[in-house]
Amino acid sequence: MHTRKQALALARQLRTCPPLKIKQSLAHVDQVAAHNRICPFCTSFLKDDIEAWEIFSQQLESDFPVSGKTLPAASGQIRHLDEGLGCWRNNCFYTPPEVLILSVDGTMVLAAQVWPDVALAGPGDLILPRNMMHGISQLFIETWNIYSLEPSFLGQCSGTVSPEVVDAVLKMDKDQQFLPPWALGSIPLKENDPRIFFREIEVETGYTFASMAVPMRLAQAQAVSIPGTLESMMARIRKKIAGIDWDWVPKSKDACLAALRFPSHALSMSAADDDVKTFTAGYYSFDRDGLLDIAPVQCRIRHEVKPPEPYSVGAVIEAGNLDLSRAEFRCFIKDRQNRQLTTACKCSFNPQGSLFMAEFNRPLAPGEELVLVIVRQAG
């Protein structure tokens, strides 16, 4: 038996610390040195540390045995992600996780991240009884950590779960209150619970590999052309929502959409949740003649990288009945004081889970804010 704090320490090392072969590689000397400056686990390289790591690695290998065969991707498989995807990010080395395949559509695989140590399971996790899994000794599925992957990212299969498990994960993703009757229960989260910090690690891990797998889907489609003049667009926007205004007088169409400020009466009054950070995006639909529709859209932030690192963010777009097909996503950092916009260097949208991701080439400064503009071409 071990405590949740011990389980968290082991999880952090496995997810974010470089494995021995990376530590010992001359090609990674600078990255390892930078990592050691922020990691309490890697500042020493003692014999006992190496032995403890090897024991834990062997335990994980028994929990996730690797099949000698590379099978075609199929729903219900537990798959290792390809070892070669491991990468440095923000001075951490992210080791590819194991995932449960939920669906395969030929070009993309929908997957949920998994973890073997049930000591770190909490509300929203699906803890499986032994009779619902095959080839695996213990497992829980992070139904709050679902993303799309390219099939080429998949490594070998370590086991399978029953079809009922896949159905339950998809239901739990849509309904946070749902839990199948056969699932094992978990203890509610408490203040400063180690499992809260574990979930932050898991979201960072999922974001790292999901962002590789959604390589600018928007770039594959033609950019949406906004018709009309800047003046006519501003006039139409004013007619759509009374009291709408701008943080400054815009000089371009992009600035018109990014500097726009919705009045309080147009914003949804959803219940506050201290654990969830949100922001309001702007949704704009155009046809050949000009603006058709405008609406504020709430977004729940699932991931943020804060200063001093370059800013990146992942968020769930709660679009409701709004049509996001054929939409273009434009993301900016807005500096109201200096009336400036910084455009994201990478911006992508995953329709599975409505997950939006953006990366910038600089940190987010005090007083600045994230802006997301969703532009859709109707017809």
Side-chain angles (χ1 to χ4, degrees):
M1 294 292 293
H2 56 271
T3 67
R4 285 198 179 96
K5 288 185 178 179
Q6 291 171 326
L8 173 64
L10 292 172
R12 179 175 171 182
Q13 291 175 75
L14 185 69
R15 289 296 199 219
T16 67
C17 293
L20 291 178
K21 66 179 182 180
I22 298 295
K23 285 184 177 181
Q24 296 170 341
S25 170
L26 295 178
H28 296 270
V29 171
D30 292 341
Q31 293 99 323
V32 170
H35 174 78
N36 288 347
R37 288 193 287 269
I38 66 168
C39 180
F41 306 108
C42 295
T43 51
S44 62
F45 201 52
L46 304 178
K47 180 176 182 293
D48 290 343
D49 296 331
I50 298 173
E51 290 178 349
W53 179 265
E54 288 178 345
I55 291 171
F56 182 58
S57 297
Q58 290 171 4
Q59 175 188 335
L60 285 173
E61 288 175 2
S62 66
D63 289 333
F64 288 114
V66 177
S67 167
K69 298 180 180 180
T70 301
L71 303 174
S75 173
Q77 292 176 349
I78 302 292
R79 299 288 288 261
H80 294 259
L81 295 193
D82 192 304
E83 183 182 3
L85 295 173
C87 63
W88 289 100
R89 181 168 165 268
N90 299 327
N91 294 329
C92 291
F93 187 88
Y94 285 92
T95 298
E98 295 78 27
V99 298
L100 166 66
I101 296 180
L102 301 174
S103 64
V104 182
D105 70 1
T107 59
M108 296 297 286
V109 171
L110 184 66
Q113 209 161 285
V114 302
W115 187 252
D117 189 351
V118 296
L120 292 172
D125 292 315
L126 182 57
I127 308 174
L128 302 187
R130 289 287 183 96
N131 65 326
M132 304 293 281
M133 51 187 171
H134 313 283
I136 310 161
S137 60
Q138 60 177 337
L139 177 76
F140 71 85
I141 303 162
E142 301 165 4
T143 67
W144 41 268
N145 200 7
I146 295 174
Y147 45 86
S148 293
L149 298 165
E150 293 183 8
S152 62
F153 285 13
L154 298 176
Q156 293 180 315
C157 180
S158 58
T160 59
V161 301
S162 302
E164 295 88 346
V165 172
V166 174
D167 292 340
V169 172
L170 294 172
K171 289 180 181 178
M172 291 177 70
D173 178 43
K174 295 181 180 179
D175 181 1
Q176 297 179 356
Q177 303 303 316
F178 174 77
L179 188 68
W182 44 260
L184 302 179
S186 62
I187 299 173
L189 297 175
K190 303 176 182 178
E191 186 177 1
N192 297 322
D193 196 310
R195 293 172 294 173
I196 296 174
F197 301 101
F198 169 72
R199 291 188 176 198
E200 291 178 358
I201 294 170
E202 291 298 89
V203 168
E204 291 280 352
T205 301
Y207 173 82
T208 299
F209 297 99
S211 61
M212 295 179 187
V214 191
M216 301 295 287
R217 284 194 173 191
L218 298 175
Q220 299 174 7
Q222 289 185 345
V224 176
S225 176
I226 300 176
T229 65
L230 173 62
E231 292 74 16
S232 65
M233 184 168 70
M234 293 179 68
R236 285 201 177 204
I237 288 174
R238 286 193 177 97
K239 290 181 180 179
K240 290 291 182 180
I241 299 180
I244 210 162
D245 204 351
W246 286 264
D247 292 316
W248 63 83
V249 178
K251 304 295 184 182
S252 68
K253 292 179 182 179
D254 270 346
C256 175
L257 302 183
L260 184 143
R261 187 171 63 250
F262 287 100
S264 57
H265 69 80
L267 303 176
S268 61
M269 301 297 291
S270 57
D273 188 338
D274 293 337
D275 295 329
V276 179
K277 185 177 179 180
T278 64
F279 70 95
T280 301
Y283 173 89
Y284 307 88
S285 178
F286 293 87
D287 64 7
R288 294 179 179 178
D289 298 324
L291 183 71
L292 284 178
D293 192 19
I294 175 175
V297 180
Q298 181 170 278
C299 302
R300 290 182 290 111
I301 292 179
R302 289 179 48 176
H303 148 89
E304 269 188 308
V305 173
K306 299 180 180 180
E309 302 298 332
Y311 184 62
S312 65
V313 61
V316 175
I317 300 174
E318 298 180 339
N321 295 324
L322 295 176
D323 188 357
L324 298 184
S325 64
R326 293 182 297 173
E328 181 182 358
F329 297 76
R330 305 177 183 181
C331 194
F332 309 90
I333 289 175
K334 179 164 65 175
D335 179 353
R336 279 198 181 100
Q337 183 176 356
N338 296 306
R339 302 182 177 184
Q340 292 180 347
L341 297 172
T342 300
T343 305
C345 57
K346 183 177 181 181
C347 183
S348 59
F349 176 68
N350 182 356
Q352 295 287 357
S354 295
L355 181 61
F356 157 79
M357 300 178 189
E359 295 182 6
F360 294 84
N361 58 10
R362 67 170 180 84
L364 185 70
E368 294 182 329
E369 63 184 271
L370 175 69
V371 174
L372 175 61
V373 173
I374 305 171
V375 183
R376 182 179 180 273
Q377 184 71 56

